[in-house]
């Protein structure tokens, strides 16, 4: 049986991406085929090189229409896309070509603290400023709007009043690393 092929899109450090590289390294049914980034200085590039995974860097204009990217994904026979800290809106052409086949992780309990501009530390600072007593992560399918596709999985954690935004971020990132590859695995296996 041919393995399902996943591509990871990331704009930053890539710690979630690395969890995927590790988790699927010797997986019988799923493999990480490539990484796409919009940021030539992204930490994810070094992580991909360390795991011998091909990467592509495309500048903002390529991400606006998405046509070139669809062609590359098709040439690599990609079945699913995983957004792991990817900061640009996914072009309509890509959503249309991969319906319910693009996953995103968001570092809060959507629909709270989502939408344009809500990424990374911005989210945790907003959660802290709002005086929330819990936060968490959300894994969802991607549609044409930021953070609005159908939710697949959420897990929460407690916020102590003394927690800084950085401490909140660290708690949520631990939850992300623990859950994201497993949840994607379950969803991909349903398609087989
Ligand atoms: C993660 O916390 C992810 O949830 C967040 O960016 C971080 C990337 O970290 N994504 C968003 O905010 C998307 N709106 P990483 O590069 O270390 O995986």
């Amino acid at each position: 049986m041919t393995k399902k092929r996943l591509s990871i899109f990331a704009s930053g450090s890539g710690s979630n991406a690395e969890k995927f590289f590790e988790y699927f390294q010797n997986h019988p049914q799923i493999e990480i085929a490539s990484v796409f980034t919009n940021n030539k200085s992204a930490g994810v590039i070094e992580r991909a090189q360390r795991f011998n995974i091909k990467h592509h860097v495309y500048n903002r204009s390529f991400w606006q229409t998405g046509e070139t990217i669809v062609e590359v994904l098709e040439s690599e026979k990609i079945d699913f896309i995983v957004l792991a800290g990817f900061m640009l809106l996914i072009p309509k052409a890509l959503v249309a070509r991969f319906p319910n086949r693009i996953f995103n992780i968001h570092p809060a309990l959507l629909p709270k603290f989502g939408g344009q501009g809500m990424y990374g530390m911005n989210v945790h600072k907003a959660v802290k400023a709002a005086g929330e007593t819990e936060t968490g992560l959300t894994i969802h399918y991607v549609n044409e709007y930021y953070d609005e596709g159908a939710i697949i999985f959420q897990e929460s954690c407690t916020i102590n009043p003394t927690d800084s935004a950085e401490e909140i971020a660290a708690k949520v990132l631990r939850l992300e690393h623990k859950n994201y590859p497993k949840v994607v695995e379950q969803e991909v296996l349903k398609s087989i």
Side-chain angles (χ1 to χ4, degrees), residues 10 12-17 47 84-87 104-107 118-120 123-124 147 172-173 176-177:
S13 153
S15 72
N16 276 288
R47 295 185 199 258
F86 187 70
M87 299 310 171
N104 185 38
I105 192 159
H106 187 77
M118 278 295 183
Y119 57 86
V123 176
H124 305 298
D147 303 327
V172 173
L173 196 63
E176 295 186 31
H177 291 167

Short mmCIF file of all heavy atoms in Angstrom, two decimals, residues 10 12-17 47 84-87 104-107 118-120 123-124 147 172-173 176-177, ligand 1:
data_model
loop_
_atom_site.label_atom_id
_atom_site.label_comp_id
_atom_site.label_asym_id
_atom_site.label_seq_id
_atom_site.Cartn_x
_atom_site.Cartn_y
_atom_site.Cartn_z
N ALA A 10 4.89 25.89 7.48
CA ALA A 10 5.27 26.58 8.73
C ALA A 10 6.01 27.87 8.40
O ALA A 10 6.72 27.95 7.40
CB ALA A 10 6.17 25.66 9.56
N GLY A 12 7.66 29.69 11.15
CA GLY A 12 8.55 30.09 12.24
C GLY A 12 9.46 28.99 12.70
O GLY A 12 10.01 28.23 11.89
N SER A 13 9.54 28.86 14.00
CA SER A 13 10.49 27.93 14.63
C SER A 13 10.31 26.49 14.16
O SER A 13 11.28 25.77 13.94
CB SER A 13 10.30 28.03 16.15
OG SER A 13 10.66 26.83 16.77
N GLY A 14 9.07 26.05 14.06
CA GLY A 14 8.84 24.70 13.56
C GLY A 14 8.91 23.61 14.61
O GLY A 14 9.14 22.44 14.29
N SER A 15 8.67 23.96 15.89
CA SER A 15 8.74 22.90 16.91
C SER A 15 7.63 21.88 16.71
O SER A 15 7.84 20.68 16.92
CB SER A 15 8.73 23.49 18.33
OG SER A 15 7.46 23.98 18.68
N ASN A 16 6.44 22.32 16.29
CA ASN A 16 5.38 21.36 15.99
C ASN A 16 5.75 20.51 14.78
O ASN A 16 5.53 19.29 14.77
CB ASN A 16 4.05 22.07 15.73
CG ASN A 16 3.30 22.39 17.00
OD1 ASN A 16 2.76 21.50 17.64
ND2 ASN A 16 3.29 23.66 17.39
N ALA A 17 6.31 21.14 13.76
CA ALA A 17 6.72 20.40 12.56
C ALA A 17 7.68 19.28 12.96
O ALA A 17 7.55 18.14 12.51
CB ALA A 17 7.38 21.34 11.56
N ARG A 47 15.32 22.38 10.80
CA ARG A 47 14.75 21.14 11.36
C ARG A 47 14.47 20.15 10.23
O ARG A 47 14.73 18.95 10.36
CB ARG A 47 13.47 21.45 12.13
CG ARG A 47 13.69 22.32 13.37
CD ARG A 47 12.37 22.44 14.11
NE ARG A 47 12.28 23.54 15.04
CZ ARG A 47 12.39 23.44 16.36
NH1 ARG A 47 12.66 22.27 16.92
NH2 ARG A 47 12.23 24.50 17.14
N ALA A 84 1.46 24.31 10.64
CA ALA A 84 2.08 24.26 11.96
C ALA A 84 2.78 25.60 12.20
O ALA A 84 3.95 25.77 11.89
CB ALA A 84 3.07 23.10 12.03
N GLY A 85 1.98 26.57 12.67
CA GLY A 85 2.53 27.92 12.84
C GLY A 85 2.72 28.60 11.50
O GLY A 85 3.73 29.25 11.25
N PHE A 86 1.75 28.42 10.60
CA PHE A 86 1.81 29.06 9.28
C PHE A 86 0.97 30.34 9.34
O PHE A 86 -0.20 30.30 9.72
CB PHE A 86 1.31 28.12 8.19
CG PHE A 86 1.50 28.68 6.82
CD1 PHE A 86 2.78 28.80 6.29
CD2 PHE A 86 0.43 29.12 6.07
CE1 PHE A 86 2.98 29.35 5.04
CE2 PHE A 86 0.61 29.66 4.81
CZ PHE A 86 1.90 29.78 4.30
N MET A 87 1.59 31.47 8.97
CA MET A 87 0.98 32.77 9.29
C MET A 87 0.21 33.43 8.15
O MET A 87 -0.40 34.47 8.36
CB MET A 87 2.07 33.73 9.79
CG MET A 87 2.75 33.24 11.04
SD MET A 87 1.56 32.75 12.33
CE MET A 87 2.61 31.97 13.54
N ASN A 104 -5.19 22.73 10.72
CA ASN A 104 -4.49 23.84 11.38
C ASN A 104 -4.52 23.62 12.89
O ASN A 104 -5.44 22.99 13.41
CB ASN A 104 -5.16 25.18 11.07
CG ASN A 104 -4.38 26.35 11.65
OD1 ASN A 104 -3.15 26.36 11.66
ND2 ASN A 104 -5.09 27.34 12.17
N ILE A 105 -3.51 24.16 13.56
CA ILE A 105 -3.54 24.19 15.02
C ILE A 105 -3.54 25.63 15.46
O ILE A 105 -2.84 26.46 14.88
CB ILE A 105 -2.35 23.41 15.63
CG1 ILE A 105 -2.58 23.22 17.13
CG2 ILE A 105 -1.01 24.07 15.36
CD1 ILE A 105 -1.78 22.08 17.73
N HIS A 106 -4.39 25.92 16.44
CA HIS A 106 -4.48 27.29 16.95
C HIS A 106 -4.24 27.24 18.46
O HIS A 106 -4.82 26.39 19.15
CB HIS A 106 -5.87 27.86 16.64
CG HIS A 106 -5.95 29.31 16.99
ND1 HIS A 106 -5.41 30.29 16.20
CD2 HIS A 106 -6.47 29.94 18.07
CE1 HIS A 106 -5.60 31.47 16.78
NE2 HIS A 106 -6.25 31.28 17.91
N PRO A 107 -3.42 28.19 18.98
CA PRO A 107 -3.04 28.07 20.39
C PRO A 107 -4.03 28.72 21.35
O PRO A 107 -3.65 29.47 22.24
CB PRO A 107 -1.68 28.77 20.42
CG PRO A 107 -1.79 29.82 19.38
CD PRO A 107 -2.68 29.25 18.29
N MET A 118 -4.37 37.11 15.10
CA MET A 118 -4.29 36.27 16.30
C MET A 118 -3.39 35.08 16.02
O MET A 118 -3.83 34.03 15.56
CB MET A 118 -5.69 35.79 16.71
CG MET A 118 -6.45 36.80 17.50
SD MET A 118 -5.63 37.08 19.11
CE MET A 118 -6.77 38.22 19.81
N TYR A 119 -2.11 35.27 16.26
CA TYR A 119 -1.17 34.16 16.09
C TYR A 119 -0.08 34.29 17.15
O TYR A 119 0.18 35.37 17.68
CB TYR A 119 -0.56 34.14 14.69
CG TYR A 119 0.15 35.41 14.32
CD1 TYR A 119 1.48 35.61 14.67
CD2 TYR A 119 -0.52 36.42 13.65
CE1 TYR A 119 2.12 36.79 14.36
CE2 TYR A 119 0.11 37.60 13.34
CZ TYR A 119 1.43 37.78 13.69
OH TYR A 119 2.07 38.96 13.40
N GLY A 120 0.52 33.16 17.46
CA GLY A 120 1.65 33.10 18.38
C GLY A 120 1.39 33.87 19.67
O GLY A 120 0.33 33.74 20.29
N VAL A 123 -1.84 35.85 20.69
CA VAL A 123 -2.97 35.10 21.26
C VAL A 123 -2.82 35.02 22.78
O VAL A 123 -3.74 35.33 23.53
CB VAL A 123 -3.03 33.67 20.67
CG1 VAL A 123 -4.14 32.85 21.31
CG2 VAL A 123 -3.16 33.71 19.15
N HIS A 124 -1.63 34.61 23.23
CA HIS A 124 -1.43 34.40 24.67
C HIS A 124 -1.52 35.72 25.45
O HIS A 124 -2.04 35.75 26.56
CB HIS A 124 -0.10 33.68 24.90
CG HIS A 124 0.00 32.40 24.13
ND1 HIS A 124 -0.87 31.35 24.34
CD2 HIS A 124 0.81 32.02 23.11
CE1 HIS A 124 -0.58 30.36 23.49
NE2 HIS A 124 0.43 30.75 22.74
N ASP A 147 -9.09 30.62 10.93
CA ASP A 147 -9.53 29.96 12.17
C ASP A 147 -11.02 29.61 12.22
O ASP A 147 -11.60 29.53 13.31
CB ASP A 147 -9.19 30.83 13.40
CG ASP A 147 -7.70 31.16 13.48
OD1 ASP A 147 -6.90 30.31 13.06
OD2 ASP A 147 -7.37 32.25 13.94
N VAL A 172 0.63 25.76 26.61
CA VAL A 172 -0.15 25.41 25.41
C VAL A 172 0.73 24.65 24.42
O VAL A 172 0.29 23.65 23.83
CB VAL A 172 -0.78 26.67 24.76
CG1 VAL A 172 -1.44 26.33 23.43
CG2 VAL A 172 -1.78 27.32 25.72
N LEU A 173 1.97 25.09 24.26
CA LEU A 173 2.86 24.42 23.29
C LEU A 173 3.08 22.96 23.69
O LEU A 173 3.11 22.08 22.83
CB LEU A 173 4.19 25.18 23.18
CG LEU A 173 5.04 24.82 21.96
CD1 LEU A 173 4.34 25.16 20.65
CD2 LEU A 173 6.39 25.53 22.01
N GLU A 176 0.17 21.13 22.51
CA GLU A 176 0.20 21.01 21.04
C GLU A 176 1.08 19.83 20.63
O GLU A 176 0.69 18.98 19.83
CB GLU A 176 0.73 22.30 20.41
CG GLU A 176 -0.16 23.50 20.63
CD GLU A 176 0.32 24.73 19.87
OE1 GLU A 176 0.91 24.60 18.79
OE2 GLU A 176 0.08 25.85 20.36
N HIS A 177 2.30 19.82 21.20
CA HIS A 177 3.26 18.76 20.82
C HIS A 177 2.71 17.37 21.13
O HIS A 177 2.91 16.43 20.39
CB HIS A 177 4.58 18.97 21.57
CG HIS A 177 5.33 20.18 21.13
ND1 HIS A 177 6.38 20.71 21.81
CD2 HIS A 177 5.16 20.99 20.04
CE1 HIS A 177 6.85 21.77 21.18
NE2 HIS A 177 6.12 21.97 20.10
C1 LIG B 1 2.10 27.35 17.71
O1 LIG B 1 1.82 27.70 19.04
C2 LIG B 1 0.82 27.38 16.87
O2 LIG B 1 -0.31 26.99 17.58
C3 LIG B 1 0.76 28.84 16.50
O3 LIG B 1 2.08 29.19 16.21
C4 LIG B 1 2.96 28.43 17.04
C5 LIG B 1 4.04 27.85 16.17
O4 LIG B 1 5.05 27.27 16.95
N1 LIG B 1 -0.15 29.05 15.39
C6 LIG B 1 -0.92 30.12 15.28
O5 LIG B 1 -0.90 31.03 16.09
C7 LIG B 1 -1.84 30.11 14.07
N2 LIG B 1 -2.86 31.12 14.17
P1 LIG B 1 6.14 26.32 16.29
O6 LIG B 1 6.71 27.05 15.06
O7 LIG B 1 7.19 26.16 17.36
O8 LIG B 1 5.48 25.04 15.92
#
